């Protein structure tokens, strides 16, 4: 059932990658729902999450999102795999069926993919590109095509990684797909600015979402000025800032929120 009883300035936000309790997407969703005028339509891909070491044995997205049960009338959900090129349109169809028009888009999902120059394959490159880069562009396309003017303007927030700050030689498929997001940000922003939509990308830096092993944990903690990883909640705070009315003049930017990560310090 479509819910139209929302104050004029409330936001309806589509957030991708909300399947894991420890992830940035869950933190973003929880942060946004703290505002009682905000509605969130969450995307997940359980079929991918369970294939990853950090996803095995974890509850599915529906169970995770049930933790936000106090906001069930403002929270929708669909599980789709962005390997399918029609998935972005399907996701927007579901969001609009639930809440009406979407005025903000947070593209947080990612397919991780290890592979150095010797071991990467055409398949790993294609899959990572399809999910991380192609789907992100198709989501922005769908958002722009369907966007209805909002009093505070439209908002798009994308996510990149640290590949522009230093080499990621063991993650080439992932790095190239995330590099594309950073590179295309000014172009996407220019394409929609006359419609009052801003487009920005966040590099959240080393963020503790439960995926790293002991060696990487030690390295990151030693190279972070605060002696710890960034948290998903800190990334969510940057998203909330970029969705706020005060951010209307910020667009086309890749925003580093790395917490001073000293990646090249001995």
């Amino acid at each position: 059932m479509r819910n139209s009883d929302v104050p004029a300035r409330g936001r309806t936000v589509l957030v991708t990658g909300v399947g894991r309790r420890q992830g940035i997407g869950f933190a973003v969703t929880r942060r946004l729902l703290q505002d009682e005028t905000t509605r969130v339509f969450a995307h997940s891909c359980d079929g991918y999450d369970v294939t990853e070491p950090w996803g095995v044995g974890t509850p599915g997205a529906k169970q995770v999102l049930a933790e936000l049960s106090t906001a069930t009338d403002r929270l929708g959900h669909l599980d789709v795999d962005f390997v399918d090129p029609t998935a972005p349109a399907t996701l927007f169809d579901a969001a609009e069926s639930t809440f009406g028009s979407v005025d903000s888009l947070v593209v947080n999902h990612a397919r991780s993919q290890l592979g150095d120059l010797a071991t990467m394959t055409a398949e790993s490159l294609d899959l990572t590109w399809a999910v991380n880069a192609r789907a992100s562009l198709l989501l922005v396309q769908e958002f722009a095509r369907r966007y209805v003017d909002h009093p505070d303007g439209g908002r798009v927030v994308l996510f990149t990684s640290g590949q522009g700050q230093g080499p990621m030689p063991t993650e080439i498929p992932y790095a190239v797909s995330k590099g594309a997001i950073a590179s295309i940000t000014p172009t996407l922003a220019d394409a929609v600015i006359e419609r009052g939509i801003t487009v920005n990308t966040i590099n959240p830096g080393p963020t503790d979402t439960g995926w790293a092993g002991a060696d990487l944990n030690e390295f990151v903690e030693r190279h972070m000025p605060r002696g710890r990883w960034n948290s998903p909640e800190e990334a969510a705070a940057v998203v909330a800032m970029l969705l706020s009315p005060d951010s209307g003049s910020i667009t086309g930017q890749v925003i580093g929120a790395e917490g001073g990560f000293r990646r090249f310090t001995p």
Side-chain angles (χ1 to χ4, degrees), residues 182 185-190 198-201 250-254:
T185 298
T187 297
L188 294 176
D190 184 72
T198 65
V199 180
N200 294 287
T201 294
I250 304 172
T251 194
Q253 304 303 304
V254 177

Side-chain angles (χ1 to χ4, degrees), residues 112-124:
S112 296
Q113 185 67 65
L114 294 175
D116 59 19
L117 191 60
T119 61
M120 68 181 187
T121 64
E123 181 183 22
S124 67

